[in-house]
Amino acid sequence: MGFGPKWLGWMWSCLSSAKFLVLVNGVPAGFFPSTKGLRQGDPLSPYLFVMGMEVLDVLIRRVVEGGFLSGCSIRGGRRSNLNISHLFFADDTVVFCEASKEHLTRLSWILFWFEAAS
């Protein structure tokens, strides 16, 4: 999925154009602009969350594919084993890795990169 300049411009206008109206004793007292991010309940929030989690997904997949982090291997009957490294559900994340200092250090770096990217 590509995000071109036109789409990014539209998203930025959604983030930067919010204005609030203050009611004083039930009477409108004027508008003031929003200075930070999305508002609670904004319909754009879930989409931005999914886009952010795509970044975390790619980071984890690359580290697992490189052999730097292992997942959990599940035997599937007659089928070959299934390796699960992470699961996302709503706003929850579960990461499976070996309980070793090296793997936890690598996982902490993944989370550091994710923090920087988001």
Side-chain angles (χ1 to χ4, degrees):
M1 179 179 203
F3 301 108
K6 190 176 193 179
W7 191 88
L8 292 173
W10 172 81
M11 185 181 354
W12 180 250
S13 71
C14 289
L15 295 173
S16 61
S17 64
K19 293 186 179 172
F20 298 94
L21 174 66
V22 177
L23 297 177
V24 178
N25 295 328
V27 179
F31 284 93
F32 64 94
S34 172
T35 58
K36 295 205 182 211
L38 295 174
R39 298 158 314 281
Q40 185 175 2
D42 192 307
L44 193 56
S45 296
Y47 299 110
L48 291 176
F49 177 78
V50 168
M51 287 171 48
M53 295 314 286
E54 287 288 329
V55 171
L56 182 57
D57 177 62
V58 168
L59 288 171
I60 295 172
R61 282 179 191 262
R62 286 186 180 170
V63 171
V64 169
E65 288 169 0
F68 299 105
L69 199 67
S70 63
C72 177
S73 186
I74 298 175
R75 199 182 308 179
R78 294 182 211 155
R79 299 181 190 150
S80 61
N81 289 351
L82 178 64
N83 189 36
I84 300 175
S85 58
H86 59 287
L87 298 171
F88 296 139
F89 180 76
D91 60 353
D92 295 321
T93 302
V94 179
V95 179
F96 300 93
C97 70
E98 187 178 307
S100 68
K101 184 176 180 179
E102 293 82 19
H103 282 239
L104 294 176
T105 300
R106 292 172 186 146
L107 180 58
S108 71
W109 276 104
I110 291 170
L111 296 174
F112 174 78
W113 293 327
F114 177 63
E115 176 190 6
S118 61

